């Protein structure tokens, strides 16, 4: 287990250095960590899981792969920015993932019967919709 934690920490640290660690990336990593912790608590304590009751190694593995895949998408955005001398593709991707991680955190909290202010839900939903709409507009022009 210790080796796995060290590998994940190394991957995250190396990725952060390569991507240009800034506040938005730090916020995304923080939300990813909170989402993982709340997902584990939700499964372990409240027995809420998409994969059955309780903690599942399959669910943990799929979640870890999803988080790593998100980092790969950010790396692709960074490469695109560097190739074309831009600086907004990576940021748009990071802001999209901030919104989706925030929504996931709120879903965990709601499942645990924690009252969540509606304005926070609306803000995150509108952020996610904004980036989804931008993606749809780009797909229509292709």
């Amino acid at each position: 287990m210790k080796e796995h934690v060290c590998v994940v920490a190394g991957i995250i640290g190396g990725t952060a250095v390569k991507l240009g660690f800034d506040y938005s990336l730090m916020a995304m990593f923080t939300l990813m960590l909170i989402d993982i912790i709340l997902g584990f608590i939700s499964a372990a304590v409240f027995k809420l899981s998409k994969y059955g009751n309780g903690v599942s190694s399959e669910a943990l593995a799929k979640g870890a792969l999803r988080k790593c895949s998100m980092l790969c998408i950010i790396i692709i955005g960074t490469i695109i920015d560097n190739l074309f001398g831009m600086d907004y593709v990576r940021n748009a991707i990071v802001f999209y993932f901030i919104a989706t991680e925030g929504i996931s955190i709120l879903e965990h909290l709601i499942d645990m019967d924690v009252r969540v202010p509606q304005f926070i839900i609306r803000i995150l939903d509108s952020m996610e919709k904004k980036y989804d709409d931008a993606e749809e507009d780009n797909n229509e022009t292709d």
Side-chain angles (χ1 to χ4, degrees):
M1 178 66 175
K2 179 181 174 184
E3 294 84 16
H4 291 91
V5 171
C6 289
V7 168
V8 170
I11 290 170
I12 290 173
T15 303
V17 168
K18 186 67 180 163
L19 296 178
F21 200 70
D22 60 4
Y23 185 76
S24 62
L25 205 55
M26 183 175 67
M28 190 196 71
F29 281 131
T30 302
L31 292 175
M32 285 174 124
L33 181 62
I34 292 170
D35 185 44
I36 291 168
I37 292 168
L38 286 178
F40 183 80
I41 291 170
S42 179
V45 176
F46 294 91
K47 307 293 186 213
L48 303 170
S49 175
K50 297 175 189 173
Y51 304 97
N53 289 337
V55 178
S56 162
S57 59
E58 178 185 355
L60 290 172
K62 285 182 178 182
L65 285 173
R66 240 186 317 278
K67 303 296 182 197
C68 289
S69 298
M70 291 165 67
L71 295 177
C72 290
I73 294 169
I74 294 169
I75 291 170
I76 292 168
T78 302
I79 291 170
I80 291 169
D81 278 347
N82 290 335
L83 283 174
F84 296 103
M86 302 181 299
D87 64 353
Y88 61 84
V89 175
R90 172 197 162 275
N91 290 337
I93 294 167
V94 169
F95 290 136
Y96 175 79
F97 287 141
I98 287 172
T100 58
E101 290 297 303
I103 290 168
S104 179
I105 289 168
L106 294 178
E107 288 171 350
H108 288 307
L109 293 172
I110 290 168
D111 287 344
M112 291 186 258
D113 292 329
V114 175
R115 292 183 55 166
V116 177
Q118 285 298 311
F119 73 91
I120 293 175
I121 295 170
R122 283 193 297 272
I123 289 170
L124 290 172
D125 279 342
S126 69
M127 276 180 68
E128 185 180 42
K129 184 178 179 342
K130 175 182 174 184
Y131 289 105
D132 278 342
D133 289 346
E135 180 182 315
E136 287 174 13
D137 291 342
N138 287 337
N139 289 337
E140 289 174 2
T141 59
D142 291 340

